[in-house]
Amino acid sequence: MKKINTSNILAFLSILILLSLPIGCFADYYDGTEGLTGDELKQTLHNIIDDHIEFSYNALRDYILPNTDEDPNNSNNVILLYTGISIPKSEFGGMVDEWNREHVWAKSHGDFGTSPPAGTDAHHIRPTNVYINSMRGNKDFDLGGSPVYTYNGSTLGGYRTDETFEPLDNVKGDVARMIFYMAVRYEGDNGEPDLEMVDYIPSSPNGEPYHARISTLLQWHTDDPVDEWEESRNDKIYENWQENRNPFIDHPEFADLIWNYATIDENYTEKLQIKIFPNPFNISESNYLNISFSTTQQIQNIVISIFNVKGEKIFTMNIQNASSTQHIFNWNGRNGKNRSVTSGVYFIKFQLNDDKHTVRKILLIK
């Protein structure tokens, strides 16, 4: 009787498990999100992170922010959002060189004030320089404007227009993921505000529960990936305070699966037929990932991008004037610098010329 190689069977079962579960250290926390996109994924995530433990507004000042935003190199200090400056925890106040509490999702965009849960939710409230906080005010997020503050020729805090605020590059992704969290956490149930992102700049907030600009925030999310600081802060809020997490820090791909994937409609599914095989796949000299797609009509431009689970773009290609024929692209498991990438889950994003998107998940095994 032929001997069965149990190690191969175990490896195969492990692959199936990896494909069926969300990626990250909190797989059980995100049970039920497998294979979901658009509004269905958004609602499922809302149900997971809803009903967190609530604290008072003063608790943010006295206990929570001094813990979540503590300077890892100086336990007496906090790190300020927008500037990255380390400042003593004791220097809370109203003077321009002190720190206060910044609502990243501005309070007037939903009229929730400083009351729980939205007004005291630590996932979007950060210690910030008083002056920078006042310059940001309740402005929407978008590109452009004049420097908020300059020192020795360097811009501190970001840029502002009469209606918008642009943080510096190193915190743009942080801001985007906090806004994503709020748009999912608060869906209007139990008397809470129903917060939504929009892709226009409202003339004035007037208490309306909208924040802009979604297209800019999605780009910031990609350009400034999750870092260790965000991961640590997310863990502290979950373990020490609210017992809920920001899904877009644990799973950066969720943003694309909710807001970009949802933009592709049945009409465009018909225009672009996609096959990806084998999946999972193993890279060798003669084995590649085959990305096959065909169109039912000519499409002016298709951009194919590959992202890792942190939302970092590792490879992209542009196809001009795709005709109604089959196209095959072979990926060799290397990034844009021709360096081999590590094993794990990746996402292939297809963007059509009119900004419609669809996403597919793949697993690379070495």
Side-chain angles (χ1 to χ4, degrees), residues 281 283 306-308 312-315 331-346 362 364-366:
F281 68 104
I283 294 297
I306 300 177
F307 296 82
N308 61 22
E312 299 168 329
K313 185 186 294 185
I314 62 170
F315 188 86
W331 184 46
N332 61 0
R334 293 180 175 272
N335 61 22
K337 297 181 180 180
N338 200 32
R339 296 173 181 171
S340 180
V341 301
T342 60
S343 299
V345 171
Y346 294 86
I362 58 176
L364 168 61
I365 301 171
K366 291 186 176 181

Side-chain angles (χ1 to χ4, degrees), residues 81-84 131-133 135-136 141-150 154-161 164-172 220:
L81 181 66
Y82 302 138
T83 63
Y131 176 75
I132 301 297
N133 192 351
M135 290 297 97
R136 186 268 159 137
F141 292 107
D142 203 1
L143 296 169
S146 303
V148 171
Y149 183 78
T150 57
S154 299
T155 297
L156 294 178
Y159 306 85
R160 67 190 292 265
T161 69
T164 64
F165 183 81
E166 177 187 351
L168 299 181
D169 291 346
N170 62 324
V171 293
K172 284 178 176 175
W220 290 354

Side-chain angles (χ1 to χ4, degrees), residues 260-275 292-303 322 350-360:
N260 276 335
Y261 191 97
T263 63
I264 196 162
D265 56 29
E266 292 182 0
N267 184 36
Y268 273 82
T269 302
E270 293 174 358
K271 290 181 182 179
L272 190 64
Q273 303 292 331
I274 301 170
K275 294 182 180 179
S292 171
F293 64 94
S294 60
T295 63
T296 58
Q297 66 183 65
Q298 183 165 316
I299 297 177
Q300 186 176 13
N301 187 41
I302 299 176
V303 178
F350 297 81
Q351 178 177 326
L352 278 61
N353 51 278
D354 60 355
D355 292 326
K356 301 240 179 228
H357 304 79
T358 187
V359 177
R360 298 292 186 270

